[in-house]
Amino acid sequence: MEFKLSRFINLVRRDVLLSRKLILFGVVALFILTGLLMWMVADEDNPNVPEEAGEIVYVFLLIIGGFFFTSSAFKSYRSHPLRIQYLSLPASHFEKFFSRWLYTLPFYALVSFIIFCAGYFIFSSLIENMFDVIFISFADLDFLNIGYILFAYTVIHGVTLLLASVINQHPIPKIIISGAVITVFCFALFSLIYRIIFWNYFDGLFSPSEEMTFYQLDSEFKLKMDDFIENWAVIFCLLAMPFLWAISYFKIKEKEA
Amino acid sequence: MISIHNLHFSYDKKKKLFDGMDLQIEPGKIYGLLGKNGTGKSSLLKLLSGVIFPKLGSIRLNEYNPVDRKPAMLEDIFFLSEDYQLPDISASLYLSIYSVFYKSFDEAKFYSITEIFEVPLGQGLDQLSFGQKKKFLIAFGLATNAKYILLDEPTNGLDIPSKSQFRKVMASSFSEHQVVIISTHQIRDLSQLIESVIIIDDGKIIFRNDLIDVENKLMFVRSLSNERIQNSIYSEMVTGGYVHILPNPEQEVTDVELEILFNAFMENRDLINSHF
């Protein structure tokens, strides 16, 4: 794994200069999207805009916008000549991977957060004056939930970056389809395993038997179980993310024109 | 030095493109890579530049394995593919973005070559014609001073003056530490430039020799009559008569006609090879 700062800076400079119009367009589009979403969540019949409105806007901005941005991270793979040029560019595989990771995760999260903050300040006061509604103040937003949204984005980013590094042409629809197929498959597999393990709690394929509702778990145990599942989900994701990034790196390494 | 040993490569399992190819290429020469369509000329250049990987066997460019695509190796390779795409930016911006990746990039050389090629640098790269884009990339590639210059059909799309400019530029900017491999169908355009010939067929190198050796061992004679000259190894009808390939025991100096030599190899490679 080779890394040379001066070469990495040259690589980032190349990417920024080649995509400068796209970056500018993206920032403007995100800002406009913030305004549109805030206008949509403001209901004129209800003067108090729901508390979670800001979080909904941020979910769209970070997760949906970030998905499109990450899906397009490897636009240098879109055609055969571009692939040849990018693969033969004198920079290491790690530098090429790390630059993509940097733009799509920390950089995008930071930029989208700045746009969200600026958009929230500007559009909340604008919409409040126009439609006689009241948004909660920025300071009162639930930042814990924003943290969860960031965490969810990190997980989605890992999968999207991996698929984007593999798919050459039309990455966005292909990633959406692949993601949907993976989700359906995982859900079906989970349901099947659940059905097999707890076979005596089912009457039909998935209809619960009386026994399922007969036993009630101790409430303290249920709380502990919920905590355990939540913590393990977080730990699993924290382990899965570096794993996904590592696979993306190796996929870049073995990429051919 | 390029060293290829037991190279196996295919795009699909049914048809093998290279089946145990061996090749050694020394620096200081301009090589012409010849072969029929689909014999793998472009693929060989791609394998050398590390953008595709062999199925079996090894390729070494000095101490480097192209598969690793180490930055130090990539700095020493310039591969001009037959199809290419230039970004929608100015020539000066392109230069400032990409030249920094090549340690030995010579900006003065770039400008001097683009001047010879008459490439208009004042406009955006997307405004250039196909041939101008190609000349721009050739100028950039030569200015990198890379050790390995791999050009896939460089004269395709170039007009007649540009082809002669290309020969002039290549001859003047080539240095002894470099290896230039030119894959081409347009042998006549480059016959004055090529110093060594590599012919690929049936997944193997069927001929690899310097033109000086060909000149010493074979004689290319033109005649008006259609009668075969005695001892002729190969004859071919051309405009205004016939060209014959004859053995050259007296080492008489005649111009090597690469197209005729190539056709002779396609007809009877064993007979031609028996003279080397």
Side-chain angles (χ1 to χ4, degrees):
Chain A
M1 216 182 269
E2 279 186 62
F3 186 83
K4 196 175 166 191
L5 189 63
S6 61
R7 200 168 50 215
F8 182 71
I9 291 168
N10 288 336
L11 189 66
V12 172
R13 185 173 162 268
R14 169 200 173 270
D15 293 337
V16 170
L17 286 172
L18 288 180
S19 308
R20 61 200 192 286
K21 285 177 192 165
L22 209 66
I23 293 168
L24 193 68
F25 172 78
V27 169
V28 172
L30 282 178
F31 190 70
I32 293 169
L33 185 71
T34 310
L36 278 173
L37 289 168
M38 287 188 67
W39 171 67
M40 285 164 77
V41 293
D43 182 1
E44 281 181 81
D45 297 334
N46 182 5
N48 291 316
V49 177
E51 283 180 16
E52 61 276 11
E55 291 146 38
I56 294 167
V57 173
Y58 190 58
V59 165
F60 269 89
L61 220 59
L62 182 69
I63 297 183
I64 310 292
F67 165 77
F68 283 103
F69 184 56
T70 310
S71 301
S72 315
F74 292 95
K75 63 175 186 169
S76 308
Y77 287 168
R78 281 187 192 166
S79 71
H80 184 67
L82 286 178
R83 275 200 296 283
I84 290 179
Q85 282 165 24
Y86 188 65
L87 294 176
S88 52
L89 189 72
S92 71
H93 299 296
F94 181 70
E95 287 156 359
K96 285 173 185 172
F97 162 76
F98 187 55
S99 61
R100 263 61 192 159
W101 181 88
L102 202 69
Y103 311 143
T104 53
L105 191 61
F107 177 76
Y108 183 78
L110 182 71
V111 169
S112 62
F113 188 70
I114 292 169
I115 292 170
F116 171 68
C117 297
Y120 198 86
F121 275 117
I122 295 165
F123 291 113
S124 61
S125 54
L126 200 72
I127 294 167
E128 278 174 358
N129 287 327
M130 284 169 73
F131 299 109
D132 207 20
V133 289
I134 300 163
F135 280 89
I136 61 161
S137 74
F138 184 78
D140 292 336
L141 286 174
D142 191 342
F143 285 95
L144 184 68
N145 280 348
I146 285 179
Y148 282 132
I149 296 165
L150 265 169
F151 183 73
Y153 174 64
T154 315
V155 177
I156 292 165
H157 166 269
V159 179
T160 312
L161 189 74
L162 170 62
L163 292 171
S165 68
V166 177
I167 297 165
N168 291 337
Q169 285 172 330
H170 312 298
I172 296 171
K174 283 180 182 170
I175 292 171
I176 292 172
I177 293 165
S178 310
V181 169
I182 292 168
T183 309
V184 169
F185 178 77
C186 290
F187 181 74
L189 192 72
F190 177 78
S191 305
L192 193 68
I193 292 168
Y194 189 80
R195 176 69 182 79
I196 291 166
I197 294 171
F198 299 101
W199 63 274
N200 52 340
Y201 290 94
F202 289 90
D203 277 339
L205 187 62
F206 287 112
S207 52
S209 67
E210 278 182 14
E211 282 184 65
M212 190 179 264
T213 46
F214 183 75
Y215 295 109
Q216 289 292 322
L217 291 170
D218 179 51
S219 59
E220 199 180 334
F221 178 78
K222 272 174 92 172
L223 275 173
K224 280 184 180 172
M225 197 64 187
D226 286 346
D227 280 350
F228 176 79
I229 290 169
E230 199 174 304
N231 290 339
W232 272 100
V234 171
I235 290 166
F236 174 76
C237 290
L238 286 174
L239 289 173
M241 282 180 296
F243 179 69
L244 290 170
W245 296 333
I247 301 175
S248 308
Y249 163 73
F250 285 109
K251 285 287 163 197
I252 291 170
K253 203 173 171 180
E254 61 191 37
K255 192 83 183 176
E256 292 183 67
Chain B
M1 169 93 170
I2 296 174
S3 175
I4 298 173
H5 178 63
N6 192 30
L7 177 70
H8 290 256
F9 178 78
S10 62
Y11 287 104
D12 61 71
K13 285 175 186 172
K14 287 176 188 169
K15 196 191 166 219
K16 280 185 176 177
L17 203 55
F18 300 129
D19 191 13
M21 177 192 278
D22 292 298
L23 181 67
Q24 301 285 321
I25 294 177
E26 300 85 30
K29 281 179 195 154
I30 298 177
Y31 293 85
L33 184 61
L34 314 179
K36 289 189 282 191
N37 288 330
T39 47
K41 299 186 297 296
S42 303
S43 301
L44 182 61
L45 297 186
K46 285 175 192 166
L47 284 160
L48 289 173
S49 58
V51 295
I52 55 174
F53 303 150
K55 303 288 175 213
L56 200 70
S58 72
I59 304 176
R60 307 296 293 184
L61 272 70
N62 285 343
E63 71 269 37
Y64 297 112
N65 182 352
V67 172
D68 298 333
R69 291 200 288 252
K70 297 251 182 216
M73 186 206 76
L74 294 173
E75 271 177 33
D76 266 338
I77 296 181
F78 180 78
F79 172 45
L80 175 67
S81 128
E82 195 180 359
D83 47 351
Y84 48 83
Q85 214 168 313
L86 282 174
D88 175 17
I89 54 173
S90 68
S92 57
L93 185 58
Y94 185 94
L95 207 64
S96 89
I97 290 174
Y98 286 99
S99 64
V100 288
F101 287 98
Y102 300 90
K103 267 186 218 152
S104 314
F105 192 86
D106 184 344
E107 207 169 308
K109 190 173 175 178
F110 170 79
Y111 284 113
S112 117
I113 297 172
T114 47
E115 204 178 311
I116 297 169
F117 273 148
E118 296 166 9
V119 180
L121 295 178
Q123 58 198 73
L125 293 177
D126 59 324
Q127 307 281 308
L128 300 178
S129 70
F130 180 79
Q132 285 171 330
K133 282 179 187 170
K134 188 165 253 186
K135 289 190 280 187
F136 176 86
L137 282 173
I138 291 169
F140 183 87
L142 294 175
T144 61
N145 286 315
K147 276 185 196 156
Y148 306 97
I149 308 272
L150 313 172
L151 306 174
D152 193 4
E153 301 289 355
T155 53
N156 259 9
L158 297 191
D159 55 22
I160 296 164
S162 300
K163 284 176 182 175
S164 101
Q165 287 163 355
F166 173 74
R167 286 191 293 268
K168 190 176 149 192
V169 161
M170 285 304 296
S172 62
S173 66
F174 173 68
S175 75
E176 283 303 300
H177 75 282
Q178 286 180 309
V179 173
V180 176
I181 305 178
I182 302 173
S183 152
T184 185
H185 288 291
Q186 304 187 11
I187 310 172
R188 282 183 199 169
D189 294 340
L190 303 170
S191 57
Q192 292 160 357
L193 190 68
I194 290 167
E195 294 171 282
S196 192
V197 187
I198 301 165
I199 301 177
I200 308 180
D201 201 32
D202 293 335
K204 286 191 167 65
I205 303 291
I206 59 164
F207 183 73
R208 183 237 175 281
N209 251 305
D210 291 349
L211 280 191
I212 195 89
D213 282 341
V214 179
E215 210 173 82
N216 287 338
K217 284 167 183 158
L218 298 174
M219 216 168 29
F220 294 78
V221 180
R222 280 183 179 257
S223 76
L224 287 172
S225 80
N226 61 357
E227 282 178 22
R228 284 181 71 94
I229 294 177
Q230 212 180 6
N231 296 332
S232 165
I233 304 167
Y234 175 81
S235 296
E236 187 177 313
M237 191 169 78
V238 293
T239 315
Y242 281 79
V243 177
H244 309 275
I245 301 179
L246 306 169
N248 193 9
E250 306 298 322
Q251 298 202 337
E252 282 180 47
V253 177
T254 57
D255 285 338
V256 175
E257 301 214 24
L258 275 176
E259 199 175 315
I260 306 294
L261 180 73
F262 178 76
N263 290 339
F265 262 101
M266 291 301 111
E267 195 176 279
N268 194 342
R269 71 181 70 155
D270 294 332
L271 181 64
I272 307 287
N273 265 328
S274 66
H275 291 82
F276 290 89

